[in-house]
Amino acid sequence: MCGCRPHVELPPVVVRPCEDAERPAVLDLFQRDFGSTRVGAFDAEHALVDMPALVALVKGDQLAGALAYRLTEDALHMLALATDPMWQRSGVGGHLVTEAERLAKEAGRHRAVIATSNDNLPALYFYQRQQYRITSMTPGSLINRAAGRPGFAGIAVRDEIRLEKDL
């Protein structure tokens, strides 16, 4: 027995831009998932309150997940992806990433990029399953931000890993 959580059956999912009235719930989801509404990625710190976001809704209006992003001159950078624990492993994250990729193409960008930390094994697994490839690693770049806190499974947070996908 692996101790893995069983797959959750996903009802129909609607992914759309976050509306102002939903922003507090989205920020709360990011706070619960990341411990902050600020994320360090792509050589900068980002206040998620200032970033555009997509929401994934199930059962009409139940927030199942959110993805914050920014468009640069040449790519869409995914800054934060969070899924409500009830809907993890159900495909919500995949729906959000697919919509972000669609937005990138619509905006004339030909790449989608994500930055994560070396300890975030679930994210590394997830994005590689979404056809992203590791393109760079910045050794030691996250040591000061982690301030000695252990990361996922007790792995020390040290390095930023970037993954990208050609669209």
Side-chain angles (χ1 to χ4, degrees):
M1 178 127 184
C2 76
C4 300
R5 280 186 53 185
H7 178 76
V8 176
E9 190 63 32
L10 185 64
V13 178
V14 174
V15 177
R16 61 169 173 70
C18 178
E19 297 175 358
D20 288 342
E22 298 165 319
R23 181 83 41 187
V26 167
L27 292 172
D28 183 58
L29 181 63
F30 288 139
Q31 177 71 41
R32 284 185 281 144
D33 207 51
F34 298 111
S36 177
T37 58
R38 298 183 73 78
V39 294
F42 304 104
D43 304 319
E45 188 157 317
H46 308 277
L48 297 177
V49 68
D50 298 329
M51 297 295 141
L54 298 170
V55 293
L57 305 172
V58 296
K59 298 182 178 181
D61 63 352
Q62 183 179 347
L63 180 64
L67 184 149
Y69 65 94
R70 71 174 182 173
L71 287 170
T72 66
E73 288 183 21
D74 66 340
L76 179 135
H77 288 179
M78 288 180 269
L79 300 172
L81 171 63
T83 304
D84 185 282
M86 180 174 173
W87 299 108
Q88 288 176 351
R89 296 185 37 86
S90 67
V92 167
H95 283 282
L96 287 161
V97 168
T98 297
E99 181 62 13
E101 293 169 356
R102 189 194 67 73
L103 284 175
K105 287 188 243 182
E106 190 176 271
R109 304 322 190 270
H110 301 288
R111 293 182 309 125
V113 186
I114 181 71
T116 190
S117 54
N118 63 285
D119 69 306
N120 196 341
L121 303 179
L124 291 167
Y125 169 83
F126 171 78
Y127 285 106
Q128 289 180 83
R129 297 239 349 172
Q130 301 292 318
Q131 308 307 310
Y132 284 73
R133 67 186 189 291
I134 296 171
T135 55
S136 67
M137 180 185 72
T138 308
S141 63
L142 302 179
I143 291 173
N144 290 337
R145 281 193 200 135
R149 294 180 311 246
F152 181 79
I155 298 170
V157 178
R158 294 187 181 105
D159 316 314
E160 180 178 276
I161 297 174
R162 292 188 187 175
L163 300 96
E164 70 179 63
K165 181 178 183 179
D166 292 327
L167 303 175

